Amino acid sequence: MVVNYKELKKNGFMLQRQPDYFAMRLKSVGGHFTAEQLGTIQKVAEKFGKGYIHLTSRQGIEIPFIHLDCIEEVKKTLAEGGVSVGVSGARVRTITACQGNAVCQSGLIDTQKLANEFDKRYGGRELPHKFKFGFTGCHNNCLKTEENDIGIKGAVKPHWNAEKCTYCGRCENVCPQKIISVDKDKKIVTQDEKNCVYCGKCIKNCPVNAWGGENGFIISFGGLYGNRIAIGKSFLPIIFDEEKLFEIVDIALKFFEENAKSGERFRNTLDRVGWEDFIQRVSSVTVVSC
């Protein structure tokens, strides 16, 4: 039997050091697995593997020691329990996400909802090289969005309402950038907007709701964390519209497809071709501001 190892790797079966054994990568979106899925994974690991799993750095699960002869039976067993095999190679990889505002008190966006939508639109899409999306709900940046080819971070642009303010100074105390100043005598609150990181702590800690704002997305491009380390660049204002977010991503992926050499990461393409044209293209999207 002729074995197409390249095709197996493409479909989530990573060849081990041991001949004809594979570490099988399972599909994960935002690190979310149901209890039922976990039961299926346990069953497969015990029956076909060595009774354990490996948690990957991108919120995924691998089951090592799956023998070549068992692959089809393993896939059938997984499918019956609602589990899919993952992907590898030159395509959109596992989409990572924190728990977001559905669970986390700090979350500003629904990262899990977005991760699932991105998976429907882009998951497994073939590209010149592997491509990684990552979502984090707020400025705490638990998922380190700037390490991804495209990272999306929750953000909120704060607005101060003088009529509600009691000038207690709490916003000044909690601001991590120290860019808010409260003058109780003159009844003035000032903010250095250009240095705001859009964390929303002034809003969350205001006892009288004098601070408000609209939640949105900060996008970074070209992150790498492997053989080469590069921090993704953020140059767009906050995006407040999901459809604009998708439009920007579509433009970025098209740019990658049109300009990348085979086997070249997105950041390396941008550095080689030059950022100017790319910035102009994604900046051309009409941004809805609050």
Side-chain angles (χ1 to χ4, degrees), residues 239-252:
I239 307 301
F240 295 101
D241 185 283
E242 280 190 21
E243 288 307 313
K244 296 300 179 184
L245 175 63
F246 295 129
E247 188 175 349
I248 289 167
V249 171
D250 289 339
I251 291 171

Side-chain angles (χ1 to χ4, degrees), residues 251-262:
I251 291 171
L253 293 181
K254 184 178 180 182
F255 183 93
F256 187 37
E257 290 174 323
E258 291 176 346
N259 291 279
K261 297 177 181 178
S262 178

Side-chain angles (χ1 to χ4, degrees), residues 69-82:
D69 295 340
C70 299
I71 286 177
E72 292 307 315
E73 187 178 357
V74 166
K75 289 196 292 187
K76 180 181 177 182
T77 304
L78 288 171
E80 290 171 351

Side-chain angles (χ1 to χ4, degrees), residues 15 105 108 123 156 195 224-225 253 275:
L15 188 62
Q105 292 184 358
L108 298 170
V156 56
N195 289 314
L224 282 174
Y225 207 84
L253 293 181
W275 285 77

Side-chain angles (χ1 to χ4, degrees), residues 45-62:
E46 291 175 343
K47 183 176 180 180
F48 299 100
K50 288 199 173 182
Y52 74 94
I53 58 97
H54 172 72
L55 297 178
T56 73
S57 61
R58 289 190 63 79
Q59 300 184 315
I61 292 176
E62 288 182 357

Side-chain angles (χ1 to χ4, degrees), residues 17-289:
R17 297 172 64 93
Q18 296 80 7
D20 292 335
Y21 281 95
F22 298 83
M24 177 179 59
R25 184 171 295 170
L26 303 180
K27 181 174 181 178
S28 167
V29 180
H32 186 90
F33 291 91
T34 66
E36 180 185 3
Q37 288 174 320
L38 291 174
T40 299
I41 293 166
Q42 177 185 355
K43 177 181 175 181
V44 169
E46 291 175 343
K47 183 176 180 180
F48 299 100
K50 288 199 173 182
Y52 74 94
I53 58 97
H54 172 72
L55 297 178
T56 73
S57 61
R58 289 190 63 79
Q59 300 184 315
I61 292 176
E62 288 182 357
I63 306 177
F65 289 98
I66 301 298
H67 194 272
L68 176 64
D69 295 340
C70 299
I71 286 177
E72 292 307 315
E73 187 178 357
V74 166
K75 289 196 292 187
K76 180 181 177 182
T77 304
L78 288 171
E80 290 171 351
V83 182
S84 301
V85 181
V87 298
S88 185
R91 53 193 45 79
V92 174
R93 298 289 191 87
T94 298
I95 297 173
T96 61
C98 69
Q99 297 206 67
N101 65 8
V103 174
C104 180
Q105 292 184 358
S106 298
L108 298 170
I109 58 173
D110 192 339
T111 55
Q112 291 290 322
K113 172 181 171 291
L114 283 164
N116 278 283
E117 183 61 36
F118 267 63
D119 182 65
K120 292 175 185 176
R121 291 178 181 241
Y122 310 114
R125 175 171 168 175
E126 296 195 3
L127 292 167
H129 203 350
K130 62 183 174 183
F131 200 95
K132 298 177 180 179
F133 289 104
F135 291 87
T136 200
C138 67
H139 186 68
N140 290 335
N141 205 12
C142 296
L143 260 291
K144 303 175 179 62
T145 53
E146 290 84 3
E147 294 179 1
N148 294 268
D149 296 280
I150 292 183
I152 293 120
K153 183 186 301 181
V156 56
K157 189 173 183 179
H159 299 291
W160 174 64
N161 186 333
E163 294 180 359
K164 293 183 176 182
C165 188
T166 60
Y167 306 93
C168 66
R170 190 174 298 182
C171 56
E172 180 178 354
N173 293 333
V174 300
C175 178
Q177 298 298 99
K178 304 302 179 186
I179 59 172
I180 297 177
S181 297
V182 178
D183 190 325
K184 298 178 182 180
D185 296 327
K186 295 183 178 180
K187 305 296 184 184
I188 294 173
V189 174
T190 58
Q191 180 197 23
D192 179 8
E193 292 187 13
K194 68 178 183 297
N195 289 314
C196 181
V197 293
Y198 312 114
C199 66
K201 289 186 177 181
C202 54
I203 298 171
K204 290 183 178 181
N205 286 276
C206 181
V208 294
N209 298 319
W211 286 96
E214 182 180 355
N215 294 358
F217 319 102
I218 292 176
I219 311 175
S220 60
F221 303 92
L224 282 174
Y225 207 84
N227 292 318
R228 179 191 174 196
I229 296 175
I231 302 299
K233 296 184 180 183
S234 299
F235 47 81
L236 295 175
I238 299 177
I239 307 301
F240 295 101
D241 185 283
E242 280 190 21
E243 288 307 313
K244 296 300 179 184
L245 175 63
F246 295 129
E247 188 175 349
I248 289 167
V249 171
D250 289 339
I251 291 171
L253 293 181
K254 184 178 180 182
F255 183 93
F256 187 37
E257 290 174 323
E258 291 176 346
N259 291 279
K261 297 177 181 178
S262 178
E264 183 177 55
R265 290 295 298 273
F266 185 44
R267 177 56 175 260
N268 295 334
T269 299
L270 290 169
D271 288 346
R272 176 178 55 82
V273 175
W275 285 77
E276 292 79 9
D277 182 35
F278 175 71
I279 291 174
Q280 185 176 7
R281 290 195 199 186
V282 294
S283 299
S284 68
V285 176
T286 302
V287 177
V288 179
S289 60

